Amino acid sequence: MKESWRWYGPLDRISLGDVAQTGASSIVTALHEIPYGEIWPREIIAERKAGIMAAGFDWVVVESLPIHERIKRNDGDLSGLFANYRQSMANLAAEGIKTICYNFMPLLDWTRTDLAAPVANGGSCLRFSAPKMAALELFMLGRSAAREDYSADVITAAELWFRASTDADRAELMHSVMSGLPGAFERYDADGLKAALKRYEGIDRRALRAHYQRFLEEIIPAAEDLGMRFCVHPDDPPRDILGLPRIVSAADDIAWILNAVDSPANGLTLCAGSLGANPDNDVPAIVRKFASRIWFAHLRNVRKDVDGSFEEAAHLSGDTDMVDLIAALLQEEARRRASGDKDWEIPFRPDHGHELLDDAARNTHPGYPLIGRMRGLAELRGVIAGLSYAGTPAS
């Protein structure tokens, strides 16, 4: 497997020199400074790639080439947005960058309520608290329909939290929820979020699927022509939030997506943490079912609570059997290699590490500390080495 590292370019407080010391060989990045919907100019792509190569890396995956919210809403004449997207694809392909990770989550990207929840042995992690999210929806946004989305116990806990919270607590909650949008050019307060949600009124699961299928039909043929691989990132969390449907949360969703436009160019980013937050998902089984269409992997782990809350666990100690999952990916690599596929290696990156030691002082993007991810990478590297030495017996 190809070790990679997510790097936010000029926005990142972790330098490529720092990344080199982790042992990772490849970079996953994007032009986060370019507003959604605009063309990524080839010269800027080339400049970013040259800097990455000068530091001793290759740019192995784009994460992400964002999809404009109007496309997700199927709002108005989208021909210009689709044309811009295809031109950005062509410019990336011209520079030899041919794997694109993206998501189709409406309005928000990954969502957490706490950016620095304490970890038992020291350090902190990202956490999604169902009661806090319910408090945001019910009592800060006034979305009464949210009562149908949470259990009675969670709603009671949400009300208790809200009554005890200060204005600063509520502001911190809103900041945490907004922090999953690196590079996005919009951040919302409560009133702004209400207005943004209003634009999604009437868009249910069936409608969002139809909008997504249109995106795939517009983009995947271009990807085929360019020799590119698209790989959708699962929803995080894998459940509806804020009344917005999430349609990439389980094996049935993935099957629908891959069949909607049945092409090798239409693939999956295997995110172990996102899928692992759904108690109904058997993540290693999902890997084996869709292995031939997995072009990229995010390896992280979560620990779930019965009320729907979850938090980032250490990479090898959460609810998902990471050793079995990696074994499944190595088996797929072996199959590709035996079939003569020259591009058989699956790039992966350690995802959402704990903040450890002096990580907090760096003030990096939430979930993307240096030391915590380096620990995760070292653990994953050890599992890969051990399974490879043992011959990765089939499960």
Side-chain angles (χ1 to χ4, degrees):
M1 295 180 69
K2 185 176 293 185
E3 295 182 6
S4 65
W5 188 273
R6 189 170 191 180
W7 180 64
Y8 287 99
L11 303 173
D12 207 321
R13 294 178 183 271
I14 298 172
S15 70
L16 288 175
D18 294 332
V19 177
Q21 296 181 57
T22 72
S25 61
S26 302
I27 291 296
V28 173
T29 193
L31 302 185
H32 295 290
E33 63 273 26
I34 296 180
Y36 291 10
E38 293 189 8
I39 294 171
W40 287 15
R42 182 174 175 181
E43 58 271 22
I44 297 179
I45 295 168
E47 181 182 2
R48 186 65 49 84
K49 180 183 175 183
I52 290 168
M53 293 183 67
F57 302 97
D58 62 332
W59 183 355
V60 67
V61 175
V62 172
E63 186 179 351
S64 297
L65 181 57
I67 301 170
H68 198 280
E69 291 299 312
R70 284 183 50 215
I71 291 176
K72 297 175 189 177
R73 298 194 305 266
N74 199 35
D75 179 11
D77 180 3
L78 302 177
S79 57
L81 286 174
F82 283 126
N84 286 359
Y85 202 96
R86 286 189 289 265
Q87 186 61 56
S88 294
M89 292 165 56
N91 292 344
L92 285 162
E95 294 299 325
I97 305 159
K98 295 193 173 183
T99 301
I100 295 178
C101 168
Y102 71 100
N103 74 73
F104 210 81
M105 290 181 257
L107 194 60
L108 299 180
D109 204 307
W110 60 262
T111 302
R112 299 292 186 273
T113 60
D114 299 88
L115 302 181
V119 176
N121 293 329
S124 65
C125 69
L126 301 178
R127 178 172 174 79
F128 178 88
S129 163
K132 282 189 176 181
M133 195 69 203
L136 173 68
E137 296 202 50
L138 287 166
F139 307 117
M140 293 171 62
L141 299 178
R143 201 178 75 81
S144 59
R147 290 187 177 275
E148 300 176 8
D149 299 334
Y150 297 95
S151 69
D153 288 345
V154 167
I155 292 171
T156 297
E159 187 167 7
L160 288 172
W161 180 88
F162 182 75
R163 287 179 176 177
S165 65
T166 64
D167 287 345
D169 293 331
R170 297 168 194 172
E172 179 62 25
L173 175 57
M174 182 63 70
H175 169 72
S176 297
V177 169
M178 290 295 106
S179 291
L181 293 168
F185 285 80
E186 286 187 289
R187 294 290 190 272
Y188 306 107
D189 57 13
D191 288 339
L193 185 53
K194 287 179 189 178
L197 289 170
K198 197 169 184 63
R199 292 195 286 270
Y200 272 91
E201 285 184 355
I203 298 177
D204 59 10
R205 177 180 176 83
R206 179 177 293 183
L208 191 62
R209 269 191 169 186
H211 303 171
Y212 187 15
Q213 181 156 358
R214 181 183 176 188
F215 169 80
L216 293 173
E217 290 169 349
E218 291 274 359
I219 296 304
I220 296 303
E224 291 173 337
D225 291 343
L226 294 166
M228 303 187 87
R229 291 170 166 176
F230 266 65
C231 36
V232 64
H233 186 288
D235 300 327
D236 188 7
R239 52 162 292 168
D240 294 357
I241 56 171
L242 299 169
L244 300 170
R246 295 291 182 101
I247 58 172
V248 196
S249 295
D252 288 348
D253 296 329
I254 296 167
W256 179 87
I257 292 161
L258 301 186
N259 290 327
V261 176
D262 189 5
S263 165
N266 179 25
L268 173 67
T269 294
L270 187 281
C271 181
S274 297
L275 292 169
N278 183 341
D280 295 330
N281 285 338
D282 179 339
V283 186
I286 288 174
V287 174
R288 290 184 169 90
K289 182 173 184 178
F290 301 109
S292 66
R293 300 277 279 274
I294 294 172
W295 304 128
F296 182 36
H298 291 178
L299 300 185
R300 63 181 174 89
N301 222 322
V302 296
R303 183 177 295 106
K304 299 182 287 293
D305 298 333
V306 294
D307 68 354
S309 303
F310 63 89
E311 66 183 28
E312 311 287 353
H315 285 72
L316 302 185
S317 64
D319 294 339
T320 296
D321 185 341
M322 189 63 68
V323 176
D324 189 30
L325 186 155
I326 291 173
L329 291 172
L330 290 174
Q331 289 156 15
E332 172 59 16
E333 281 193 331
R335 184 198 66 78
R336 294 179 189 184
R337 194 172 189 179
S339 73
D341 185 349
K342 294 181 180 179
D343 194 17
W344 55 268
E345 254 188 317
I346 299 172
F348 78 95
R349 64 175 181 82
D351 199 12
H352 288 195
H354 289 173
E355 280 197 337
L356 303 173
L357 302 173
D358 64 353
D359 270 334
R362 288 178 177 267
N363 194 29
T364 59
H365 286 78
Y368 292 91
L370 176 61
I371 297 170
R373 280 189 291 164
M374 184 167 65
R375 172 188 167 180
L377 178 58
E379 292 177 344
L380 298 168
R381 182 184 293 141
V383 171
I384 292 166
L387 288 171
S388 299
Y389 180 80
T392 320
S395 297

